[in-house]
Amino acid sequence: MPIRNSLYKNFTQQIDEIINSNIQNERFGVSGLACEMNMSRSNLHRRIKNITGDSVSQYLRKVRLNKAMEMLKEQAYTMSEVAFAAGFGSANYFSKCFKDHFGYPPSEVENYAGDNEECQTLQNNKNVIKNFPDQTTSFIGRESEINTILSLVKENRIVSLVGTGGCGKTRLACEAIPKLAKEYKDGIWFVNLVPVETIELVTKQVLSALDIAEVPGKEMMEILIERILEKKLLILLDNCEHLLSACAELSATLIQSVPGLSIVVTSREALNIKEEKVWFISPLSLEDPAPVINVEYGNRSEAVRLFADRALSNNPGFKLANENISEVVTICQKVDGIPLAVELVAGRIKYMDIHAIIDRFGGRLAEIPSRVPGTIERHKTLQATIEWSYNLLSEEEKTLFRKLSVFTGGFDLTAAEEVCANEFLSNERILDALPHLIDTCMIQTTYSTKGQMRYKMLETLRQYGKKLVLETNEADETSEKHLEYFTWMAEKAFHERLKSQQTWIEKLDQEHDNLISALNWSDNNAPEMFIRLSGALGWFWRFHSHMVVGCDFLERALAKNTSHTESHARVLYGLGLMLSLTEEVPKAIDLLNESLNLWRQNENIEVEAAVLRDLIFPYQSVGDLESSQACGRQCMELAKKTRNLELINHCLGYVCFTYLSAKNFSQVKPLIFELLETSEKLNQPDGIILARHYMGDVALGERDFKDAERRYASSIETCWKYGNTIQSITDLQGIAFAVSGQSRYEKSIRLDAAAREAACQNGIHLKGLAGFWDDWICTYIEGARKKVGEELTNQYQDEGRAMSFDEAVKYALNFEID
């Protein structure tokens, strides 16, 4: 074996010497190497494959790339010089091969060649990137564009990446901007404007993306500026073309107001504001016509490499070869290298070979015109790409595609059937048509966290579909059916909110974009349906902490109708639930009582019991203990009459609260354990959350501070599991009480400040929640402040307020750190 290894070593050394002596000759390949070794190509291939596991071409490329790495580490050559010195005819192709082999581009060799500390810093920079979408396909080419973008952003505070639809603006921005992580210590934030349909919601979307809560009664722009005023960050506003005026106004205001802010915009049109640097994104690179077209020539084109990559993913049997390279180059040139068009054509490889595509569709490929700077008809260019695929569909498929454009944020099969079916397009025909839309890349498939398939349309395709819906006079009919379907869903969720609580919380959260879209359309076109849909969502908005959004829609619904209908009762109930956590508790009590009267008139004792249950808390907040206790007794009596286990358990949660308010800790313990056991059995998240929180309350009331700390921590973890931010804020303050009881005053004051800041951002008030809670604020927080003194109190409070809520929770859950 040693002799065999020695022979192998001598053989590979001989090959390496020959390759290195010819390394600058890009035409030196397998044939040249075989000739130099005095071997046939087949024998050379077998020998190298046996020794290294690589083909001859792969081995040649590795030797060239290793030589290139040596040169780059010397830092005495440019990337282009290295590329040609290593025998690569194209710097772009060299960069692609280098990244595939080493895992990072040539431009980052210096970063990876440094010591471990430097590499760790590079890794840590990834933590600065916020909300960026996960990329599931490889990124092809555009190295020079990335470097240009990075330079522009470093030199200008607002940069707009402008180009035709489908040219890859978003993907290019997502590839380039994260490389600036070191420059922005407070984060690089991706703001997706695709689901935003009205200009009024642009600032709201930015707040949401930056994890900044709205505050009732305060302008959103004012909140945004206050929160980021002292920060060094970059915001990427993606897909601005349908909200141009709002994005221009927002960007101009933020750039003028926040010194440390940079903004990058992707759009089909510039914002045209002061200080804006506009850069036009070209399609993928194409090579000039040449007398000899082979794979090596074709691979110099980014568009050809993209086609080959996507064709292979659609058909594992596809291979870019000299036999088909001419047709691939022709296709890429006819669509001007526009990525979306390239990918749509490559998708056809699943069903026919490249020659058949040229024979059948060659004329239609030419419909996309060449790019002429300054005269691009962006809609025509994009629509030509989409229309090419659209025109291949049957009439049923076209109808389905148009109707599916009504969905925002995706949809499932049931939604497609319910909204799109009519006398022309039956459910059965939808089942036949939808797969073909998926195969033609008109619709994409995704999977939920539970593995359920959902469908979505690229936004450019959806906008095209919406245009067609208007032209065919299908818009109102489709929007009405969309509204009817999601109103049905929301009302079913309301009726089953106790029986199937977790299921509906997940479903409504998944469909929230569609629900908001339906509300926006019905606000002007179907006011009665607007009231029905808003009222049915109140409980969900309250549980999932959509406080400002919920209050906005419910207040608008309340202003539309004062009739004594069940829909109106739901609106009153929902708005009362929302306001019971704000400073408007008296108004919440009035709304809940008005709702209660309507449910009594309608003889709906199940909802009557639920409303009585939800009156317990606000009555406690205003100090009316008698009314609170009366509501507790009445709700339980009614719940038991219904024999509805979910409702009984629901009411039990707030009966426990009345015992806690009276500080009857020993009496409430068995009820809390019953609440937790039953809630877990019935899969009721609100009961599970309350029970775990109450356990913390009991432990604190009994002065078992370490147990209280862990109980509240467990409740926070439960809240995060189910998406209830509001309750987790009170748990955070509960931990502040518990660590104060352990004389850990520094951590207590920090956590209390962080909890108060989060409460303020969500529009709720911690003081006044309950008498015993206010007592604990006085005992543990005010007590801690007195112990450390005013100077340290101010310092610790500032440190707590500076934490994000996520940071504060991680700090709270680490029991060993003060």
Side-chain angles (χ1 to χ4, degrees):
M1 193 67 182
I3 297 174
R4 186 173 179 82
N5 285 337
S6 176
L7 291 173
Y8 281 173
K9 184 177 181 180
N10 291 336
F11 180 78
T12 56
Q13 283 179 344
Q14 184 181 0
I15 288 178
D16 290 353
E17 290 174 1
I18 293 172
I19 295 173
N20 281 311
S21 67
N22 293 277
I23 201 159
Q24 290 186 336
N25 181 5
E26 64 177 291
R27 297 185 179 276
F28 183 79
V30 179
S31 296
L33 182 59
C35 182
E36 292 273 355
M37 292 292 294
N38 196 26
M39 300 175 68
S40 68
R41 288 169 56 102
S42 59
N43 284 338
L44 178 64
H45 174 76
R46 282 195 294 270
R47 188 79 179 273
I48 290 182
K49 188 75 173 178
N50 186 37
I51 296 173
T52 69
D54 294 326
S55 67
V56 181
S57 296
Q58 289 170 332
Y59 189 82
L60 270 163
R61 187 178 297 117
K62 284 183 178 180
V63 173
R64 293 182 186 277
L65 289 170
N66 288 332
K67 178 65 175 179
M69 174 63 85
E70 293 175 7
M71 296 178 69
L72 287 168
K73 285 181 178 180
E74 294 176 14
Q75 300 181 21
Y77 307 94
T78 66
M79 186 181 75
S80 295
E81 289 172 339
V82 170
F84 289 106
F88 290 89
S90 163
N92 287 342
Y93 180 54
F94 162 66
S95 183
K96 188 263 183 187
C97 293
F98 190 97
K99 185 176 181 180
D100 288 345
H101 182 60
F102 291 108
Y104 51 89
S107 59
E108 295 186 11
V109 166
E110 183 179 355
N111 292 331
Y112 284 87
D115 56 24
N116 290 334
E117 183 178 349
E118 185 177 356
C119 292
Q120 185 62 48
T121 300
L122 190 65
Q123 180 64 34
N124 291 340
N125 286 339
K126 296 180 180 179
N127 298 328
V128 176
I129 310 305
K130 310 288 186 180
N131 304 334
F132 273 60
D134 293 331
Q135 305 298 342
T136 58
T137 57
S138 56
F139 184 79
I140 306 296
R142 294 199 184 275
E143 289 82 7
S144 61
E145 287 95 330
I146 288 175
N147 291 331
T148 300
I149 292 171
L150 297 180
S151 298
L152 289 173
V153 176
K154 289 177 181 179
E155 296 169 4
N156 303 274
R157 292 185 58 209
I158 178 164
V159 175
S160 290
L161 308 181
V162 177
T164 59
C167 71
K169 299 180 291 294
T170 297
R171 185 66 190 272
L172 178 56
C174 288
E175 190 75 15
I177 301 304
K179 300 181 186 298
L180 295 168
K182 292 181 180 179
E183 308 288 333
Y184 299 96
K185 64 183 180 64
D186 295 309
I188 297 177
W189 301 81
F190 182 90
V191 180
N192 180 19
L193 295 176
V194 168
V196 180
E197 296 190 344
T198 60
I199 59 175
E200 295 83 4
L201 296 177
V202 171
T203 308
K204 186 188 293 288
Q205 185 76 348
V206 175
L207 284 173
S208 176
L210 270 65
D211 199 22
I212 298 174
E214 300 166 43
V215 178
K218 198 170 186 179
E219 291 292 329
M220 287 186 286
M221 180 61 75
E222 182 183 353
I223 299 168
L224 178 58
I225 291 173
E226 286 180 356
R227 289 296 308 280
I228 67 174
L229 184 60
E230 304 298 329
K231 295 185 181 295
K232 179 71 172 176
L233 72 164
L234 183 147
I235 296 175
L236 172 55
L237 295 175
D238 184 57
N239 278 282
C240 296
E241 53 268 8
H242 60 302
L243 304 159
L244 210 58
S245 62
C247 290
E249 181 179 351
L250 178 139
S251 299
T253 301
L254 290 179
I255 287 295
Q256 292 171 8
S257 305
V258 184
L261 172 68
S262 295
I263 295 177
V264 175
V265 168
T266 69
S267 177
R268 296 183 206 169
E269 186 177 351
L271 300 181
N272 292 319
I273 61 176
K274 187 179 179 181
E275 299 182 359
E276 178 188 21
K277 181 67 177 179
V278 180
W279 190 66
F280 289 92
I281 300 175
S282 302
L284 296 174
S285 69
L286 297 166
E287 288 295 309
D288 293 331
V292 178
I293 298 178
N294 53 27
V295 173
E296 183 177 357
Y297 163 86
N299 272 327
R300 298 173 188 171
S301 162
E302 293 171 333
V304 169
R305 299 208 305 272
L306 177 66
F307 184 98
D309 181 88
R310 301 304 190 259
L312 182 62
S313 68
N314 280 281
N315 186 343
F318 176 83
K319 181 181 179 181
L320 195 63
N322 287 338
E323 291 74 19
N324 62 24
I325 186 63
S326 180
E327 287 79 7
V328 174
V329 169
T330 297
I331 286 175
C332 292
Q333 289 177 334
K334 285 191 174 183
V335 299
D336 288 333
I338 296 174
L340 176 59
V342 171
E343 294 192 2
L344 287 172
V345 181
R348 296 293 172 184
I349 294 297
K350 183 177 181 181
Y351 304 106
M352 60 187 74
D353 62 39
I354 195 70
H355 303 283
I357 292 177
I358 289 289
D359 291 340
R360 182 173 178 182
F361 307 119
R364 274 174 281 187
L365 295 177
E367 292 176 0
I368 301 175
S370 298
R371 178 174 177 140
V372 179
T375 59
I376 297 174
E377 299 178 54
R378 55 191 176 88
H379 288 296
K380 180 180 178 181
T381 302
L382 174 62
Q383 289 178 9
T385 305
I386 300 171
E387 189 175 4
W388 169 76
S389 189
Y390 176 78
N391 284 337
L392 299 177
L393 304 176
S394 69
E395 289 306 312
E396 288 179 340
E397 291 162 354
K398 289 178 180 178
T399 301
L400 179 59
F401 171 75
R402 294 194 302 267
K403 287 178 173 292
L404 289 175
S405 68
V406 74
F407 291 103
T408 305
F411 57 93
D412 58 23
L413 181 59
T414 301
E417 292 173 327
E418 292 296 327
V419 173
C420 300
N422 57 20
E423 65 279 359
F424 173 72
L425 192 66
S426 66
N427 285 355
E428 291 76 16
R429 301 309 300 161
I430 288 174
L431 286 173
D432 292 335
L434 183 58
H436 191 235
L437 291 179
I438 296 168
D439 287 342
T440 56
C441 302
M442 304 294 276
I443 300 292
Q444 294 180 319
T445 59
T446 61
Y447 284 90
S448 68
T449 54
K450 292 194 172 182
Q452 298 167 325
M453 181 174 283
R454 283 179 64 79
Y455 310 95
K456 67 175 183 177
M457 230 182 239
L458 292 174
E459 184 60 17
T460 50
L461 294 172
R462 194 174 81 88
Q463 293 298 328
Y464 179 71
K466 290 175 68 176
K467 173 180 175 291
L468 294 177
V469 165
L470 289 171
E471 290 175 354
T472 54
N473 296 318
E474 298 167 313
D476 286 344
E477 175 194 354
T478 307
S479 294
E480 285 173 5
K481 295 193 73 172
H482 179 269
L483 172 62
E484 289 171 359
Y485 175 72
F486 284 104
T487 301
W488 167 84
M489 177 187 292
E491 290 183 334
K492 184 174 175 62
F494 179 85
H495 292 303
E496 297 179 2
R497 69 194 184 284
L498 301 180
K499 183 177 181 181
S500 305
Q501 191 176 88
Q502 179 59 19
T503 298
W504 283 115
I505 287 170
E506 291 175 356
K507 182 67 173 175
L508 296 180
D509 184 49
Q510 187 177 56
E511 300 292 359
H512 203 224
D513 287 339
N514 277 311
L515 292 164
I516 296 299
S517 178
L519 282 166
N520 286 329
W521 186 84
S522 63
D523 193 10
N524 296 319
N525 296 281
E528 291 185 4
M529 294 291 285
F530 178 82
I531 295 168
R532 286 175 56 188
L533 182 53
S534 298
L537 290 172
W539 73 275
F540 167 73
W541 284 327
R542 165 63 180 83
F543 181 90
H544 232 271
S545 307
H546 296 292
M547 297 291 290
V548 177
V549 170
C551 284
D552 178 44
F553 281 117
L554 289 166
E555 285 171 349
R556 283 152 61 185
L558 192 62
K560 290 181 185 292
N561 193 313
T562 56
S563 61
H564 293 176
T565 62
E566 183 173 318
S567 298
H568 181 58
R570 286 202 299 259
V571 170
L572 292 166
Y573 181 27
L575 187 56
L577 277 175
M578 306 290 280
L579 295 181
S580 64
L581 293 177
T582 71
E583 59 185 2
E584 298 185 73
V585 176
K587 182 179 179 180
I589 292 173
D590 291 341
L591 291 169
L592 290 170
N593 275 311
E594 189 176 347
S595 171
L596 181 64
N597 290 334
L598 291 178
W599 294 115
R600 284 172 173 166
Q601 290 174 23
N602 293 329
E603 297 182 349
N604 190 326
I605 64 171
E606 288 193 353
V607 185
E608 180 185 346
V611 177
L612 283 166
R613 175 259 201 196
D614 289 310
L615 272 165
I616 295 171
F617 182 81
Y619 272 133
Q620 282 277 352
S621 295
V622 298
D624 189 347
L625 302 185
E626 183 179 347
S627 295
S628 179
Q629 291 169 358
C631 288
R633 290 191 300 270
Q634 292 172 37
C635 78
M636 186 56 76
E637 289 172 3
L638 288 175
K640 289 179 177 178
K641 285 183 181 179
T642 67
R643 297 184 179 180
N644 182 325
L645 295 179
E646 290 82 6
L647 180 60
I648 293 170
N649 191 63
H650 190 63
C651 294
L652 176 61
Y654 273 60
V655 170
C656 290
F657 180 74
T658 62
Y659 279 93
L660 286 168
S661 297
K663 299 184 179 179
N664 293 329
F665 301 119
S666 59
Q667 290 178 273
V668 79
K669 272 186 182 180
L671 294 178
I672 294 173
F673 282 108
E674 178 186 346
L675 173 64
L676 179 60
E677 182 181 357
T678 308
S679 297
E680 289 176 338
K681 182 179 179 180
L682 297 174
N683 197 19
Q684 283 189 304
D686 65 344
I688 297 170
I689 289 169
L690 279 178
R692 295 195 185 280
H693 176 82
Y694 291 160
M695 287 177 177
D697 291 343
V698 169
L700 190 68
E702 294 180 338
R703 301 181 66 79
D704 188 344
F705 298 119
K706 286 191 175 181
D707 187 48
E709 180 183 9
R710 282 160 175 74
R711 296 287 190 181
Y712 285 130
S714 174
S715 182
I716 285 181
E717 291 170 343
T718 307
C719 288
W720 279 37
K721 176 182 177 181
Y722 295 114
N724 191 324
T725 303
I726 300 299
Q727 186 62 52
S728 64
I729 294 172
T730 62
D731 290 322
L732 188 64
Q733 192 174 46
I735 294 178
F737 298 158
V739 296
S740 175
Q742 300 170 52
S743 301
R744 297 156 62 193
Y745 303 124
E746 179 180 341
K747 185 169 188 175
S748 173
I749 295 170
R750 286 198 190 105
L751 292 179
D752 176 71
R756 290 172 190 258
E757 181 71 16
C760 181
Q761 292 171 11
N762 283 274
I764 66 173
H765 290 258
L766 294 174
K767 190 172 179 62
L769 287 177
F772 70 93
W773 200 260
D774 287 348
D775 290 343
W776 287 344
I777 290 175
C778 181
T779 300
Y780 297 110
I781 304 305
E782 297 301 329
R785 291 171 181 171
K786 289 178 182 178
K787 288 286 187 181
V788 303
E790 183 177 357
E791 183 177 351
L792 285 176
T793 291
N794 291 336
Q795 176 188 328
Y796 299 152
Q797 285 180 331
D798 289 343
E799 291 168 354
R801 294 189 193 102
M803 294 180 185
S804 69
F805 190 61
D806 288 359
E807 291 170 341
V809 167
K810 289 178 183 177
Y811 176 47
L813 298 186
N814 191 329
F815 304 138
E816 307 303 322
I817 293 179
D818 284 337

